[in-house]
Amino acid sequence: MNRTNPPHLATSLMFAGLAITGCAAPQANLAENEALHASIVSDEVAPLASTSTVTSAAPAVDSRASRAAREDSPVLTMDAKGFQVTSANGTSSMRIGGRLQTDFNVHGNEGAFNPAIQDGSELRRARLEMRGTLPDDLIWAAEADFGSNKISLKDFWVGRHEGDGPTITFGHQKQPYSLDVEMSSNDIPFVERGVDTALVIPFVDRAIGLRAQNNSDDLYWAVGLFGEGATKKATADEGFGFAGRLVSAPVQTETEVLHLGVRGAWRRPEDGPGGIRIRDETTNLSNFSVVDT
């Protein structure tokens, strides 16, 4: 199919749903940022005992100096998300992690298609990630992907989160449009996201912009204004748009959750030739597309 290039393409997509589950309202990236921001590890060191029978004040002084030195030293911890270094006073931290995901694909009767569907294996994702906190409630993230034999920029932003107030971030980040888009590739229920996501991802994928979000026990909201992605080479004036999500869980019991959500996005695409291509491949390795415009 030929690519289309409408002069002004706008999307306004709304979603409302009702579910009875055992899950609370989704927290997007805020829960992870809060957990990272609040991770303060204390290092208690017991006083050193002396076996000498000679009475002297020096061992006690050395013990106190050693304890003070340990308490002023950064703390290194490791968990399922990687290594984390936290300052002694807990105001600064840096977590280093990543992911390595390999795919192996086999299609049946692939020769019936033209071109034939490709079988094989690939390094789907090979990411190096760093996240951290700084004094004055500052937060930051930097992530790059080396999968599929190419380098692409993922999260690269700075922001601020104070107490119960909203989290405000600026940089290359996900747009708050769809839970499926915002969910980590570590947590999506299938190997790849669905074709419905492929239809909107050209408009609401990661982009450079300003985002604000907040949540309480029964309410989550996020809005943002975005330009184009950092890896997109502009051939004319770049496009821009905004996106937002509102999620409410007014009923939360041990057995039932009433979950309501609404989302929307609008975008003016980049001016000039080229248009916007919407494409969904059977697998990331395959060259066969179920949808291709």
Side-chain angles (χ1 to χ4, degrees):
M1 300 176 63
N2 296 327
R3 299 186 187 181
T4 57
N5 182 30
H8 299 286
L9 177 61
T11 62
S12 181
L13 306 177
M14 304 294 288
F15 167 81
L18 173 63
I20 299 179
T21 68
C23 303
Q27 304 299 314
N29 296 325
L30 180 58
E32 182 178 353
N33 293 336
E34 287 180 338
L36 179 59
H37 188 75
S39 59
I40 303 173
V41 181
S42 62
D43 186 17
E44 295 295 334
V45 181
L48 299 178
S50 174
T51 58
S52 173
T53 57
V54 179
T55 303
S56 174
V61 173
D62 290 343
S63 176
R64 289 193 296 268
S66 176
R67 181 188 178 101
R70 290 176 178 269
E71 291 177 348
D72 291 338
S73 299
V75 178
L76 175 64
T77 58
M78 182 179 68
D79 56 22
K81 294 185 177 181
F83 296 92
Q84 177 167 313
V85 180
T86 306
S87 62
N89 59 8
T91 60
S92 300
S93 64
M94 180 178 68
R95 181 185 296 276
I96 301 176
R99 71 192 67 173
L100 183 64
Q101 299 175 354
T102 303
D103 286 355
F104 180 75
N105 309 306
V106 177
H107 297 80
N109 199 28
E110 64 267 24
F113 298 92
N114 186 21
I117 306 176
Q118 294 176 335
D119 295 338
S121 60
E122 68 167 341
L123 199 61
R124 178 65 178 90
R125 296 178 180 89
R127 296 188 184 179
L128 179 62
E129 174 189 15
M130 293 186 294
R131 293 177 180 265
T133 62
L134 294 171
D136 299 323
D137 301 307
L138 297 179
I139 55 178
W140 60 272
E143 181 182 17
D145 189 4
F146 302 89
S148 300
N149 200 29
K150 59 184 180 181
I151 301 175
S152 58
L153 186 66
K154 298 302 180 181
D155 290 337
F156 204 94
W157 50 260
V158 295
R160 191 169 190 269
H161 171 65
E162 181 179 6
D164 296 330
T167 298
I168 300 175
T169 54
F170 175 77
H172 195 253
Q173 56 189 317
K174 291 184 175 181
Q175 299 185 46
Y177 174 74
S178 166
L179 177 62
D180 196 33
V181 174
E182 291 197 79
M183 187 180 297
S184 169
S185 58
N186 287 332
D187 303 321
I188 56 178
F190 300 102
V191 176
E192 298 290 346
R193 294 177 172 89
V195 64
D196 57 327
T197 300
L199 298 177
V200 299
I201 201 67
F203 311 102
V204 294
D205 200 4
R206 282 184 175 91
I208 299 174
L210 181 67
R211 170 175 173 151
Q213 65 182 43
N214 202 0
N215 71 284
S216 61
D217 291 339
D218 57 0
L219 183 68
Y220 168 84
W221 62 263
V223 294
L225 176 64
F226 299 89
E228 298 286 357
T231 57
K232 181 177 178 60
K233 184 177 181 180
T235 58
D237 292 341
E238 75 171 25
F240 66 91
F242 62 84
R245 292 179 62 210
L246 177 65
V247 178
S248 176
V251 177
Q252 301 181 59
T253 68
E254 293 182 357
T255 59
E256 295 181 342
V257 172
L258 176 61
H259 180 278
L260 305 172
V262 61
R263 63 185 182 181
W266 176 89
R267 170 160 289 272
R268 176 183 175 180
E270 176 184 300
D271 293 333
I276 296 177
R277 188 177 188 182
I278 300 175
R279 188 181 188 190
D280 180 59
E281 297 175 329
T282 54
T283 66
N284 189 69
L285 175 69
S286 170
N287 61 351
F288 179 77
S289 298
V290 179
V291 177
D292 193 354
T293 64

